[in-house]
Amino acid sequence: MSSDAATEDALAEQLERILLKRVEADNVPLPTLPAVSARALHLINDPRAQLKQVAAAIEVDPLLGAQLLRLASSAAHGGGGLHSMEQAMNRLGVQRVKSLLVEASTKKLFRSKDERIQTACIGLWEHSRAVAVLARDVAALVGNTETEGIYLAGLLHDVGKPILAGVLLEAERAIYKPGGTWISATSWVNTIQKRHRKIGVALAEKWRLPSAVAATIADCAEFNPADRTSPGNFVCFANALSKIHSVCPGDYALDDAQALVMVGRSLLGLQDDVIARLTDGLKERVRVDWD
Amino acid sequence: MAKILSVDDSRAIRAMISKEVRALGVDVDEAEDGEQGLARVEECNYDLILLDVTMPVLDGPGMLAKLREMGNKTPVVMLTSESKKGIVSTVMKLGIDDYILKPFKPDELAAKVKKVLKLGAGGPSASAVVSGAQAPVAASAAPAPAAAAPVQGDSATTGRQFVDLMVIDDMENVAKKLRGMIPQHMSLGSATNGFAAIAACRERVYRVVLIDFDIPDVNCAALVGQLRSLQPHAAFLSLALKTMKNAEEDARKQGFDGVVYKPFDPSAIEDFLLQYFDNQDLVTLEDNVIKLGRFAGRDDRLDRYFQRARKLCEDSVGKLAAACFEDAIVDLTHLPPRMDRVPSLVLSIIKNSQDMGLAVKLVAPAEIKSILASFADTNSVPCYSALSEAVA
């Protein structure tokens, strides 16, 4: 091993120690749910609140409002002819609106002023969307009705990564000496890979998302054969499927992903042609414009 | 004729595989561990090996590694209850053609065998699910979760009687007490010792099995393990005393899916029935009045309540149309006033009714009226405060 590599390893280890200490001490700053989404979600869950109040809460954020109107006006939801946010919400349904509010809030976590993190985050967000879409589609295919919850779990399964990336960057800056060595992107990814789930679970709990979402983030690394249609199984399968279709940034164990897809096909009773249809054009479907 | 080698330490599984594979017109040899499997391979050329992972003497990955070391390239399909990515990834590297997770459906076995052997399309074999150890049990079109309801007619096709509940408790009164608290139409079996329980589980298919946590001279964890292999789709719940500390945690350690406390509390039993049987009288139909029942379970089951209500209302509207009624009165008096769920349910009822040519009148308390009034699509539907007003 070269001396540069040894120094880098030592730096990576030092960073991981700092990170681990902060994770164990629950000292990782978790972002709060943006105020507009928090208010709207609160109103949706309040039986006394009226739809127009929810609509008014969403309209406070014009960008969010425009996203909802755009989706509700899409061909999939009946095309144009919408005159108000209330009509858009009626068309989308409350569960879909809830998912959109969480999705819009989560997307903000995948943005960073740091160029290195931002580059990684774009790929990670597209991967998260791919997992969410695939998990929801597979769940619907095998008759699971909790598809919106599964979509959210897929979307959030890696949400701990950008949060940890920010913490890691902060730690790296603290120990970096001018002229010294920076750790490689691989070491970054590996360090984050090991610790991100705990942070993802904590965020889901802080945002008061359904308990199944947090449980799925925690348990989606392996299949649970005792409960074939558990949300974690759909997310686990979708995660592996998106990896073997290269909709995932960084280094990952392709062998493990292929093994999980092979097991998942049998576990969920999916035929190859169905999987091919589900993944057709996946990369293009989840590509995001960072407006 | 193509020839397959089935390597599995379970005689029941080997017998089931042989039966299914022979039905495809393929010859089968059997071996009960990896060492026997290698000996068979040395004696005969096979077109396919169906290989279990966990076996005594020499396990599946061990046999596969030796097979490939010998330069033998016979196609291998793993047939196992092992789903850990590390293990499956290892055997994939050694060279496998496919993978089947136990318990499996014979249709899946037939399809994968035919694919590897490049056999033409043939009729599917018997559609039963094969358990990890014994006889066929109920099947469903989609992969079924624990305690999933078998599809209609399953018990007839498998030859095993379907029973809703099984109570295993050395005190006979426990089953009697529960019998008095569950709806009449539900079936309940009972056993007072482990031997009787195993015998019953061999003969019948249960949806939920309740086992006393403390049966004298019975190792609870071992009993649950044995019964699970006979009833792979049943939910297993522990019967524990209310005073027992850490009952939930202990039950999970012993292999249970949850706990039901003794003596039985009516609301807890109702909750249990809702969770495992969806058995609330959610929707009743009298003349042209569709009445929605109360939601009595925990909040996390509310989604299921609304889904069931939606489906049952749809069925009821269909019945009213078939009986030539011109309108449907939907009584929402007991509906939980949830803004995120009520409009969607009501919209679905309105749409179904319109499709069937029925007018809709609603009966609802003020809270529900207020929710419906805030939606453009529901605020114009006639809504009354009392059933008598709607009927008049």
Side-chain angles (χ1 to χ4, degrees):
Chain A
M1 186 188 284
S2 71
S3 62
D4 277 357
T7 313
E8 188 190 306
D9 280 353
L11 266 172
E13 271 177 34
Q14 195 179 348
L15 280 177
E16 197 183 335
R17 273 200 303 276
I18 293 171
L19 190 62
L20 185 58
K21 207 178 273 180
R22 290 185 66 169
V23 171
E24 281 173 353
D26 284 333
N27 188 21
V28 175
L30 294 174
T32 50
L33 192 63
V36 171
S37 295
R39 169 90 182 129
L41 286 168
H42 174 75
L43 286 170
I44 286 175
N45 290 326
D46 181 354
R48 292 162 303 176
Q50 298 202 338
L51 190 68
K52 57 186 172 192
Q53 291 176 279
V54 182
I58 291 173
E59 280 167 339
V60 170
D61 182 342
L63 196 63
L64 186 61
Q67 280 176 349
L68 247 86
L69 283 169
R70 194 168 55 197
L71 184 73
S73 307
S74 66
H77 290 92
L82 286 172
H83 303 293
S84 70
M85 181 61 72
E86 280 179 70
Q87 280 183 318
M89 292 175 66
N90 256 333
R91 201 178 266 188
L92 292 170
V94 173
Q95 294 300 330
R96 188 81 189 105
V97 171
K98 273 184 179 177
S99 291
L100 284 168
L101 291 171
V102 176
E103 180 166 346
S105 308
T106 310
K107 186 181 176 186
K108 290 178 181 167
L109 303 182
F110 286 77
R111 307 195 80 151
S112 171
K113 286 176 187 164
D114 185 272
E115 199 181 323
R116 287 187 304 168
I117 298 180
Q118 181 61 32
T119 307
C121 279
I122 290 173
L124 199 56
W125 177 244
E126 289 180 350
H127 167 68
S128 299
R129 290 195 72 219
V131 173
V133 168
L134 286 174
R136 181 183 61 191
D137 290 353
V138 172
L141 206 63
V142 303
N144 191 308
T145 53
E146 302 292 335
T147 50
E148 282 306 319
I150 289 166
Y151 179 85
L152 281 185
L155 198 68
L156 290 162
H157 81 286
D158 272 348
V159 76
K161 287 182 178 176
I163 299 171
L164 278 188
V167 175
L168 204 54
L169 186 71
E170 195 185 304
E172 188 185 50
R173 281 179 183 145
I175 62 173
Y176 173 71
K177 293 183 182 67
T181 313
W182 288 88
I183 64 166
S184 68
T186 309
S187 297
W188 265 72
V189 171
N190 288 342
T191 306
I192 290 169
Q193 190 68 36
K194 283 183 204 165
R195 310 287 170 204
H196 74 95
R197 291 209 189 279
K198 189 176 176 185
I199 304 300
V201 170
L203 184 86
E205 285 168 353
K206 183 172 181 180
W207 284 12
R208 295 183 181 181
L209 298 177
S211 56
V213 173
T216 302
I217 295 170
D219 296 329
C220 66
E222 290 275 8
F223 288 117
N224 173 11
D227 184 3
R228 291 192 178 212
T229 52
S230 67
N233 284 351
F234 297 116
V235 174
C236 180
F237 182 69
N239 193 15
L241 205 53
S242 73
K243 283 175 179 169
I244 67 169
H245 283 83
S246 307
V247 189
C248 185
D251 295 332
Y252 47 84
L254 191 58
D255 291 342
D256 283 353
Q258 284 167 336
L260 285 172
V261 169
M262 188 175 252
V263 175
R265 281 165 59 225
S266 181
L267 180 106
L268 300 168
L270 296 170
Q271 306 289 332
D272 289 340
D273 59 333
V274 173
I275 295 172
R277 279 205 300 277
L278 288 173
T279 51
D280 186 34
L282 183 65
K283 263 188 184 178
E284 289 69 34
R285 278 190 282 143
V286 299
R287 190 160 289 150
V288 180
D289 292 327
W290 290 86
D291 42 25
Chain B
M1 183 189 275
K3 196 165 188 176
I4 283 180
L5 176 64
S6 165
V7 188
D8 198 304
D9 59 333
S10 161
R11 190 190 298 168
I13 291 287
R14 292 200 308 274
M16 189 57 66
I17 290 171
S18 296
K19 182 181 159 216
E20 293 300 326
V21 170
R22 284 196 183 105
L24 300 172
V26 176
D27 203 4
V28 194
D29 277 350
E30 295 179 11
E32 62 184 49
D33 59 52
E35 206 164 275
Q36 271 193 19
L38 286 172
R40 296 269 188 284
V41 170
E42 283 182 4
E43 292 162 7
C44 180
N45 285 326
Y46 293 98
D47 299 289
L48 169 65
I49 298 171
L50 295 171
L51 185 60
D52 190 12
V53 167
T54 310
M55 292 180 289
V57 188
L58 180 62
D59 64 11
M63 175 184 162
L64 185 57
K66 288 194 175 179
L67 199 70
R68 299 307 186 218
E69 274 170 27
M70 288 155 50
N72 188 311
K73 292 179 182 168
T74 306
V76 170
V77 172
M78 298 306 297
L79 202 157
T80 175
S81 54
E82 182 55 71
S83 66
K84 292 269 181 293
K85 63 187 172 197
I87 293 170
V88 179
S89 163
T90 303
V91 293
M92 279 179 78
K93 282 177 202 158
L94 292 168
I96 59 170
D97 288 68
D98 217 324
Y99 168 98
I100 299 171
L101 179 69
K102 292 178 186 170
F104 62 93
K105 287 183 182 177
D107 284 352
E108 185 187 3
L109 173 67
K112 289 185 173 170
V113 166
K114 283 196 281 191
K115 188 178 167 192
V116 175
L117 297 181
K118 296 183 173 65
L119 298 176
S125 52
S127 58
V129 175
V130 179
S131 78
Q134 292 288 329
V137 295
S140 62
V151 293
Q152 212 169 13
D154 274 345
S155 56
T157 54
T158 58
R160 293 169 82 190
Q161 186 193 351
F162 177 76
V163 182
D164 289 312
L165 270 165
M166 166 73 149
V167 175
I168 304 166
D169 197 304
D170 57 315
M171 311 292 278
E172 281 181 28
N173 191 48
V174 175
K176 282 183 193 162
K177 196 76 184 169
L178 188 61
R179 174 69 272 177
M181 297 174 83
I182 61 174
Q184 280 303 311
H185 60 82
M186 286 181 68
S187 48
L188 182 145
S190 64
T192 52
N193 61 61
F195 292 115
I198 290 169
C201 283
R202 284 209 171 98
E203 290 167 8
R204 299 181 183 91
V205 179
Y206 295 94
R207 190 183 296 183
V208 177
V209 180
L210 299 161
I211 306 178
D212 181 17
F213 199 75
D214 195 20
I215 304 176
D217 303 324
V218 169
N219 178 333
C220 214
L223 180 62
V224 173
Q226 279 179 294
L227 296 182
R228 264 202 195 281
S229 66
L230 295 168
Q231 302 283 332
H233 290 268
F236 283 77
L237 304 176
S238 162
L239 287 168
L241 287 175
K242 284 179 178 169
T243 50
M244 193 174 155
K245 285 180 184 170
N246 305 322
E248 292 272 353
E249 194 182 333
D250 289 348
R252 302 259 176 215
K253 280 182 193 161
Q254 300 260 22
F256 287 101
D257 300 308
V259 176
V260 173
Y261 290 98
K262 298 189 289 186
F264 299 126
D265 172 51
S267 67
I269 294 299
E270 198 175 335
D271 226 19
F272 156 74
L273 293 176
L274 180 67
Q275 182 175 2
Y276 291 97
F277 298 93
D278 264 347
N279 246 340
Q280 276 192 333
D281 287 331
L282 287 186
V283 173
T284 51
L285 183 61
E286 199 175 320
D287 292 330
N288 63 334
V289 179
I290 301 170
K291 194 169 185 175
L292 279 90
R294 285 179 201 283
F295 171 70
R298 291 201 301 264
D299 279 355
D300 57 354
R301 311 224 178 100
L302 202 62
D303 268 342
R304 182 183 282 208
Y305 169 91
F306 273 91
Q307 280 161 17
R308 288 278 295 159
R310 189 178 186 139
K311 173 75 178 64
L312 293 171
C313 284
E314 192 179 314
D315 295 345
S316 299
V317 167
K319 284 178 190 166
L320 291 183
C324 290
F325 280 101
E326 289 169 356
D327 59 1
I329 299 172
V330 186
D331 187 349
L332 308 173
T333 306
H334 300 302
L335 194 67
R338 294 292 300 250
M339 186 180 159
D340 56 339
R341 292 175 170 90
V342 170
S344 152
L345 172 66
V346 171
L347 274 174
S348 148
I349 295 170
I350 293 170
K351 186 175 180 312
N352 281 325
S353 304
Q354 282 172 346
D355 289 348
M356 297 275 183
L358 294 175
V360 179
K361 293 180 192 170
L362 303 175
V363 178
E367 267 185 305
I368 301 238
K369 274 185 179 174
S370 153
I371 293 171
L372 296 176
S374 68
F375 281 75
D377 293 334
T378 54
N379 65 8
S380 57
V381 182
C383 194
Y384 303 88
S385 302
L387 185 59
S388 54
E389 289 173 27
V391 174

